[in-house]
Amino acid sequence: MASLVDAGVSFSTAGQLTTTSRSLHLRGNATFVNFCNGEFMGKKLKVKLKHQSDNDYGIFRDRKRLVCTMTLTADFAGETELTDLELEKKDSRTVAAIILGGGAGTRLFPLTKRRAKPAVPIGGAYRLIDVPMSNCINSGINKVYILTQFNSASLNRHLARSYNFGGGVTFGDGYVEVLAATQTPGEEGKNWFQGTADAVRQFHWLFEDPRSKYVEDILILSGDHLYRMDYMDFVQDHRQSGADITISCLPIDESRASDFGLMKINDIGRVLSFSEKPKGKDLKAMAVDTTVLGLSKEEAEEKPYIASMGVYVFKKEILLNLLRWRFPTANDFGSEIIPASAKEFFVKAYLFNDYWEDIGTIRSFFEANLALTEHPPRFSFYDAAKPIYTSRRNLPPSKIDSSKIVDSIISHGSFLNNCYVEHSVVGIRSRINSNVHLKDTVMLGADFYETDSEIAFNLAKGKVPIGIGENSRIKGCIIDKNARIGKNVVIENAEGVQEADRSSEGFYIRSGVTVILKNSTIKDGTVI
């Protein structure tokens, strides 16, 4: 807004504006503006010429003469910044996001046996897709596409319930659209998605649509990561640097570096080369000075490597050019398009020095869930300013009778009766009966309740109700939804088996973690 009469403006040492009570004097044909203490000496102000007919506040003479007014951004509550340029660079209306639904999810099998990776439950009450969706919402980005191909029914159902224009989270003039893999006329149209880049290529026409004409940058996100990020900070860095492509990256130490694809950068953060999971001398060669990206000298010495998070922002025109003309046969962003683009385009690294986890394997899924119970947790769903959204289920509070709960998360709508739950995550609508000891376990919960009469009927027929039966002991386990675990069951993997396929008996063992299948039944007295 323009400066007001009987109010002045001054700059603080931080370059901010402060309102003061200076006066303006109008004497005859001359206008004098007094600012005390030389606040504006040596400062460059944004000045424009205007007529009195403009309906803005300012200092005016008569209708026929032009006068000068200072266009300033002020906050009546106190200090603020000159943010015109920042607001332009952080305009989320010019950004669209694409969330990749992932491939077949073989490393997360059997959790992906009947669901897509982004639909896998996490944290007791959420699904993995809620993480990038919530980051978009909290960043003000309301144009979101989700690309799906494998086992997408539950993912589509969750998105429809959670992020729509009715009962879920609303998006104003934006949209959330699921783009399922489909076949189109022509020989090439018979192919399903061949990779991350190919999936976006098959829907490139969406960004030539009239409603995308104001979109300048496109975020490429993964649907199976756990982190909290303001994407507009990422986009703003991308725009201010003038980069064609910006890659979000993590600083990591040498002990973990060989597990990631690493990047080599120069002294302005420009990406020069990539190396996929290097070891030995090749690993040493990928060390960089991470103070360039903002780390302190001490932390840079501890973490001399940077790894790609698989989170990218492209200029729209650059992305379309790469997919359609420059690399029309490349199928993957991380292994093909981006490494090749670094030789021809300005590809920049952006430092994300916070918690991030790729939930790509059973072991990482198991450990990331249990890490939520730490004090304090490395990642928390409890952030009032930047919440993680999910489906509104309208479930009642959990009911806990005569039970002991230590370092655990109990989701809503659960029933715990005279049990001991230790270092575990218990999902929605879970039932845990008397004398059950649950330790180091991730229980995904249930999709529905069984009534008391249904439970009594099942017991009378010798069947197992949903939940965990009396006197059972479970450790180091993932229990998928709607599982029925009987009485006196022991699941501990005492022999330390690393891999086993016992699907006929209702479970697998993956990386030493026992996984009880969805809708399976573990009979009374079973020992695993």
Side-chain angles (χ1 to χ4, degrees), residues 20 31 33 58 66 70 73 126 141 161 201 203 242 251 296 338 344-345 370 390 424 438 463 481 500 502 504 520 522:
T20 58
T31 300
V33 184
L66 295 173
M70 291 172 296
T73 302
Y126 303 89
I141 296 170
R161 290 174 177 173
R201 181 186 293 113
F203 285 98
S296 66
I338 290 180
E344 304 178 28
F345 298 89
L370 294 185
T390 191
S424 296
L438 205 64
K463 297 181 179 180
K481 284 192 169 185
R502 306 282 286 276
S504 61
S520 64
I522 306 298

Side-chain angles (χ1 to χ4, degrees), residues 449-488:
Y449 284 121
E450 285 185 328
T451 64
D452 290 340
S453 59
E454 288 173 331
I455 293 172
F457 178 81
N458 285 332
L459 291 173
K461 293 289 186 179
K463 297 181 179 180
V464 180
I466 288 179
I468 303 176
E470 298 172 359
N471 306 313
S472 292
R473 191 168 70 249
I474 301 174
K475 181 181 179 181
C477 184
I478 297 172
I479 304 173
D480 207 340
K481 284 192 169 185
N482 310 329
R484 302 169 184 267
I485 299 176
K487 301 176 182 178
N488 304 304

Side-chain angles (χ1 to χ4, degrees), residues 20-266:
T20 58
S21 57
R22 308 300 178 218
S23 61
L24 304 172
H25 304 283
L26 307 177
R27 299 178 182 174
N29 294 326
T31 300
F32 299 92
V33 184
N34 295 331
F35 293 96
C36 297
N37 304 322
E39 291 99 331
F40 284 92
M41 290 186 66
K43 303 295 183 182
K44 184 177 180 181
L45 300 178
K46 181 179 177 183
V47 177
K48 66 179 180 180
L49 293 174
K50 33 188 330 173
H51 286 89
Q52 187 175 0
S53 58
D54 294 344
N55 292 322
D56 288 331
Y57 291 99
I59 309 161
F60 299 101
R61 305 264 291 274
D62 59 62
R63 181 180 296 273
K64 295 181 180 179
R65 295 189 180 185
L66 295 173
V67 296
C68 290
T69 65
M70 291 172 296
T71 302
L72 303 172
T73 302
D75 184 355
F76 295 111
E79 294 188 345
T80 186
E81 297 178 342
L82 281 169
T83 57
D84 287 351
L85 182 60
E86 287 189 17
L87 287 173
E88 181 179 347
K89 295 217 175 263
K90 293 190 73 171
D91 186 359
S92 60
R93 294 171 298 178
T94 60
V95 181
I98 300 174
I99 302 175
L100 302 172
T106 53
R107 296 186 302 157
L108 260 180
F109 186 86
L111 297 180
T112 53
K113 185 178 181 180
R114 290 287 182 269
R115 57 169 78 94
K117 279 196 294 183
V120 172
I122 191 168
Y126 303 89
R127 293 180 186 258
L128 284 171
I129 190 65
D130 293 327
V131 174
M133 284 298 307
S134 299
N135 285 337
C136 285
I137 294 168
N138 294 329
S139 302
I141 296 170
N142 66 353
K143 300 176 181 66
V144 184
Y145 297 101
I146 301 101
L147 300 183
T148 66
Q149 178 163 302
F150 294 95
N151 284 332
S152 57
S154 63
L155 175 60
N156 294 344
R157 184 166 55 247
H158 177 74
L159 290 169
R161 290 174 177 173
S162 305
Y163 309 102
N164 56 45
F165 296 92
V169 178
T170 56
F171 281 79
D173 61 347
Y175 46 82
V176 176
E177 293 188 3
V178 177
L179 306 176
T182 185
Q183 293 187 334
T184 56
E187 192 63 31
E188 292 183 359
K190 295 179 181 179
N191 296 325
W192 299 109
F193 296 157
Q194 301 300 305
T196 55
D198 184 61
V200 178
R201 181 186 293 113
Q202 291 194 30
F203 285 98
H204 71 81
W205 52 270
L206 284 169
F207 300 104
E208 297 167 346
D209 190 90
R211 67 176 179 173
S212 296
K213 66 180 179 179
Y214 297 115
V215 172
E216 299 174 6
D217 297 286
I218 299 175
L219 276 164
I220 306 293
L221 310 171
S222 177
D224 58 356
H225 295 166
L226 182 61
Y227 64 111
R228 181 179 276 107
M229 181 179 184
D230 188 334
Y231 294 140
M232 287 312 300
D233 288 344
F234 180 33
V235 172
Q236 185 182 27
D237 181 86
H238 166 75
R239 289 175 173 176
Q240 288 179 337
S241 69
D244 298 311
I245 307 168
T246 303
I247 306 170
S248 187
C249 61
L250 290 168
I252 53 175
D253 56 29
E254 188 169 347
S255 65
R256 300 177 61 206
S258 292
D259 298 330
F260 293 89
L262 303 183
M263 297 181 289
K264 190 84 173 178
I265 59 172
N266 64 11

Side-chain angles (χ1 to χ4, degrees), residues 373-444:
T373 68
E374 294 176 358
H375 302 282
R378 287 170 286 172
F379 178 87
S380 175
F381 287 96
Y382 303 94
D383 188 327
K386 296 179 179 180
I388 302 297
Y389 297 92
T390 191
S391 175
R392 291 178 57 186
R393 302 181 181 94
N394 299 319
L395 291 172
S398 291
K399 185 176 182 181
I400 302 171
D401 295 327
S402 304
S403 299
K404 183 177 181 180
I405 301 170
V406 179
D407 297 336
S408 296
I409 294 173
I410 310 298
S411 300
H412 38 287
S414 297
F415 296 86
L416 281 68
N417 178 33
N418 190 30
C419 59
Y420 182 20
V421 179
E422 180 182 3
H423 192 230
S424 296
V425 176
V426 177
I428 57 174
R429 303 187 190 91
S430 293
R431 284 187 180 270
I432 305 177
N433 290 301
S434 62
N435 296 320
V436 169
H437 185 187
L438 205 64
K439 183 177 181 180
D440 302 333
T441 292
V442 180
M443 189 174 180
L444 303 188

Side-chain angles (χ1 to χ4, degrees), residues 325-341:
W325 310 116
R326 187 64 190 87
F327 305 109
T329 61
N331 292 326
D332 190 70
F333 283 117
S335 62
E336 296 179 79
I337 285 185
I338 290 180
S341 298

